[in-house]
Amino acid sequence: MISVHDLHKHYGQRTVLDGISLSFPERRLTSLIGPNGAGKSTLLLMIGRLLEASAGEVRLAGQPIQRIASNAYARRVATLRQATELNLRLRVEELVEFGRFPYCGGRLHADDHRAVDQAIAFLGLDSLRQRYVDELSGGQRQMALLGMTIAQETDYLLLDEPLNNLDMRHAVQIMRALRRLCDERGCTVLLVVHDINFAASYSDHIVALKAGRVHCAGSVAEVVTETRLRALYELDFAISYSARGPLCNYFNPPRDLS
Amino acid sequence: MIRSHLNWAVALGVLCVLSLLIGARALPWSGLWQGSPEAWLTLTASRLPRLLALLVTGAGLAVCGLILQHIVRNRFVEPATTGGLDAAKLGILLALISLPDAGVGVRMFIALSVCLVSSLLFLALVRRLPAQQTVLVPVIGLMYGGVLSAVAEGYAYRHNLLQSMQGWLLGDFSKVVQGSYEVLYLSVPALLLSYLFAQRFTVVGMGEGIATSLGLNYPASVALGLVLVAVTVSATVISVGAIPFVGLVIPNLIALRHGDNLRRSLPWVALGGAVLLLVCDILGRLLIYPFEVPIGLTAGIVGGALFLGLLLWQRR
């Protein structure tokens, strides 16, 4: 289980995280939501060891993560950031193969090839296998990067705004893949997501951050309520329920809250 | 795939033979058969060293460009656009002036150190730039190189070394004879190590975030890459001088066809660099035969034209 204990992050005078203590349920999909600048990505990147905490610590199964060797950590926790970061000309297959880097350092064995094939099949990327990533659409690139992360075969997956710049179809594709990873493979998935409706539809657990603190955390039913979302985003929400789940409408509030 | 390997091998072989044949003194092949010591001396003391030096330099510089491009994450960098060549020149000058009696090993070590420090400084500088400014990086690199070069020239001027320093500005293989270039072979292990660590450098090229989440020790891998580059660049500048564009053009050309996965593309980049430099050298030796155009000049012209073509072709 991943847990964070009194985590702080300061940039000079500015406080981004102000004492966060949380634990993330195992084998569940948890969404981190909140307004811009709430510290969601900062928290996620710290769990992924891509940022140092100013104070406090993150623990994996009770062990402070700084004490785990980076290679060993990469076999337990995979982090996916936005696809724009990648500007190399690699084939999809090659990119996914790099997911095996923590295991084999680049020399793939039979076991690694199996993991690569499985990741590609899992996301239905077979037709793109030999294509260059820099020639794909944004959505396909994001899928290819997710393929690399899946090939890493970690128990924990961290994703920083994986739906950014994606059209609806690709966004749904990615969220469904994450849901399946959780249900079929027993992965624990943590993601930062801006679209409250995606968070409400696909999550088991939601953590809402505001101004560097935990605003509220709990199951979807507990967090996705009109009063809580209104306080979180300072917007007027109307939530309707149907067989497909809750739907939050905040697009044309009848009055100005500010 | 095998066919294209074969074609390239044949092309390289032909170029090598051509390179051995051309020279101010005609090489009597019959003399070689009959075991004439004079013919053998020409071959082993001048032609072969020159050919080997060309192959090692071309492969080395192209691979340096490739590694730098992955570390800086910018397609337009190479030793000439990151201040690497200028730093090596400054280092040699420092060694010549402060330790005039030191051997080539000490000179190499000082050049290498200056080169390494300067590339670390450049990297620190570039990391402060906004990520989207891809064209700004080589521009700043050129300015940075200009500053290093100016320091070197000022220093050389004060010690009356300006003229001999001009010699290193332009790469030249005509001085390569047995006993004068062997330090160049230091770039052979650097090349082999680059290939051994190819996967790491590809991961470095994915950016610090992805590299770290793949469990790579990012700072150590960057440092290793910079050391390998510094070894090759300083060995090259010490033994044959500065040669621009090889490290820029070849990796970009190869990436079009073979991608950026170094495990796959690095041998091609090395081969491409060797071929380009051989062609430039043969041209330089034939243009005003029996005199020579220094390879720094021909490589600059051929490489520059290729680079322009590449830019225009990619724009289409």
Side-chain angles (χ1 to χ4, degrees):
Chain A
M1 180 154 80
I2 292 178
S3 56
V4 301
H5 303 266
D6 198 26
L7 206 58
H8 288 261
K9 181 70 184 177
H10 313 286
Y11 290 105
Q13 293 290 311
R14 205 161 59 88
T15 301
V16 183
L17 288 186
D18 192 12
I20 303 239
S21 296
L22 277 173
S23 59
F24 298 95
E26 287 284 281
R27 295 164 183 272
R28 293 284 178 271
L29 196 154
T30 301
S31 292
L32 294 168
I33 62 167
N36 283 336
K40 311 176 293 289
S41 293
T42 307
L43 175 59
L44 192 87
L45 295 184
M46 275 184 193
I47 298 173
R49 298 222 312 200
L50 299 178
L51 266 182
E52 293 268 338
S54 306
E57 64 184 12
V58 179
R59 292 184 199 150
L60 174 60
Q63 194 182 9
I65 57 170
Q66 299 308 333
R67 292 208 203 132
I68 306 174
S70 57
N71 205 32
Y73 199 68
R75 284 181 229 152
R76 296 168 73 183
V77 181
T79 312
L80 175 64
R81 295 171 74 186
Q82 289 158 35
T84 46
E85 201 191 352
L86 187 82
N87 62 357
L88 286 190
R89 190 170 160 80
L90 295 174
R91 292 180 199 277
V92 170
E93 182 183 52
E94 291 173 326
L95 182 66
V96 176
E97 282 173 0
F98 277 106
R100 302 305 295 169
F101 189 81
Y103 297 87
C104 64
R107 258 166 257 275
L108 275 75
H109 306 294
D111 205 33
D112 302 310
H113 284 293
R114 177 204 45 81
V116 169
D117 290 340
Q118 276 183 5
I120 287 177
F122 187 87
L123 294 177
L125 288 173
D126 289 287
S127 59
L128 301 177
R129 202 169 170 140
Q130 296 302 326
R131 295 272 301 278
Y132 279 115
V133 177
D134 60 344
E135 291 165 0
L136 300 179
S137 73
Q140 292 170 325
R141 276 164 73 105
Q142 187 67 283
M143 288 296 266
L145 267 172
L146 182 61
M148 177 178 91
T149 315
I150 292 175
Q152 223 171 316
E153 294 196 326
T154 54
D155 290 334
Y156 300 89
L157 252 82
L158 316 175
L159 303 101
D160 187 14
E161 299 188 25
L163 309 183
N164 246 19
N165 300 321
L166 297 193
D167 61 20
M168 287 169 269
R169 206 175 100 82
H170 279 111
V172 168
Q173 239 179 343
I174 296 259
M175 288 308 290
R176 289 177 85 116
L178 296 180
R179 191 65 252 174
R180 279 175 56 215
L181 277 173
C182 195
D183 297 338
E184 295 169 17
R185 296 200 176 179
C187 291
T188 305
V189 179
L190 264 63
L191 76 152
V192 171
V193 60
H194 268 297
D195 189 326
I196 182 68
N197 285 311
F198 270 119
S201 306
Y202 285 93
S203 312
D204 299 306
H205 191 80
I206 293 185
V207 172
L209 297 185
K210 189 175 183 181
R213 291 167 185 270
V214 177
H215 186 261
C216 53
S219 67
V220 174
E222 284 166 345
V223 174
V224 182
T225 66
E226 288 173 1
T227 38
R228 285 198 147 157
L229 291 184
R230 178 185 312 200
L232 178 65
Y233 290 105
E234 291 163 30
L235 272 176
D236 197 4
F237 276 80
I239 303 179
S240 51
Y241 296 88
S242 75
R244 289 190 179 190
L247 182 69
C248 311
N249 187 341
Y250 52 90
F251 298 105
N252 42 4
R255 62 203 159 81
D256 195 358
L257 276 187
S258 58
Chain B
M1 196 68 187
I2 289 174
R3 195 72 197 272
S4 94
H5 274 118
L6 207 68
N7 289 345
W8 277 98
V10 170
L12 185 70
V14 170
L15 285 170
C16 287
V17 172
L18 270 178
S19 168
L20 287 178
L21 283 175
I22 299 164
R25 173 195 285 265
L27 187 62
W29 286 94
S30 52
L32 287 180
W33 279 117
Q34 289 149 14
S36 138
E38 199 189 344
W40 276 102
L41 188 68
T42 312
L43 188 68
T44 56
S46 162
R47 298 290 167 79
L48 264 181
R50 181 172 189 149
L51 175 63
L52 291 176
L54 278 164
L55 293 177
V56 171
T57 309
L61 285 179
V63 169
C64 278
L66 184 66
I67 291 179
L68 279 175
Q69 284 167 18
H70 274 72
I71 290 178
V72 183
R73 305 190 65 212
N74 187 301
R75 293 211 175 278
F76 300 115
V77 301
E78 65 139 358
T81 58
T82 54
L85 292 179
D86 306 284
K89 279 187 279 191
L90 181 62
I92 299 171
L93 200 66
L94 278 175
L96 277 181
I97 291 167
S98 54
L99 302 162
D101 303 323
V104 72
V106 176
R107 227 182 295 164
M108 170 76 195
F109 181 74
I110 293 178
L112 194 155
S113 312
V114 174
C115 218
L116 196 60
V117 171
S118 110
S119 59
L120 283 172
L121 274 175
F122 178 71
L123 206 61
L125 203 68
V126 163
R127 287 171 71 119
R128 287 170 188 275
L129 291 176
Q132 303 82 13
Q133 299 289 346
T134 43
V135 187
L136 205 58
V137 172
V139 170
I140 288 193
L142 285 170
M143 286 174 7
Y144 179 65
V147 170
L148 289 176
S149 200
V151 171
E153 273 168 35
Y155 197 47
Y157 181 73
R158 281 187 50 191
H159 292 84
N160 266 328
L161 277 169
L162 199 55
Q163 277 214 314
S164 77
M165 202 189 76
Q166 299 293 343
W168 318 319
L169 287 178
L170 222 49
D172 189 357
F173 281 88
S174 61
K175 286 171 290 189
V176 169
V177 286
Q178 199 175 13
S180 78
Y181 76 106
E182 278 75 3
V183 68
L184 192 55
Y185 286 135
L186 275 177
S187 40
V188 174
L191 259 174
L192 293 178
L193 281 175
S194 310
Y195 186 62
L196 199 65
F197 291 108
Q199 297 290 80
R200 271 165 200 265
F201 295 134
T202 315
V203 176
V204 164
M206 293 182 176
E208 188 169 4
I210 295 179
T212 308
S213 57
L214 287 177
L216 180 81
N217 186 339
Y218 183 80
S221 304
V222 167
L224 174 74
L226 291 180
V227 168
L228 294 179
V229 168
V231 167
T232 304
V233 168
S234 42
T236 306
V237 175
I238 281 189
S239 46
V240 294
I243 301 170
F245 279 116
V246 180
L248 184 61
V249 177
I250 295 297
N252 277 299
L253 277 175
I254 299 293
L256 282 181
R257 194 173 151 79
H258 296 281
D260 279 323
N261 189 359
L262 291 199
R263 170 60 65 71
R264 215 150 57 95
S265 67
L266 193 138
W268 288 104
V269 168
L271 183 72
V275 166
L276 177 65
L277 217 52
L278 266 178
V279 170
C280 290
D281 185 61
I282 291 172
L283 273 179
R285 282 198 264 176
L286 289 178
L287 280 176
I288 49 170
Y289 185 87
F291 305 104
E292 281 193 25
V293 182
I295 194 158
L297 210 61
T298 46
I301 293 168
V302 174
L306 272 175
F307 185 59
L308 268 180
L310 193 73
L311 281 181
L312 293 174
W313 188 79
Q314 272 184 329
R315 170 90 33 103
R316 263 199 319 173

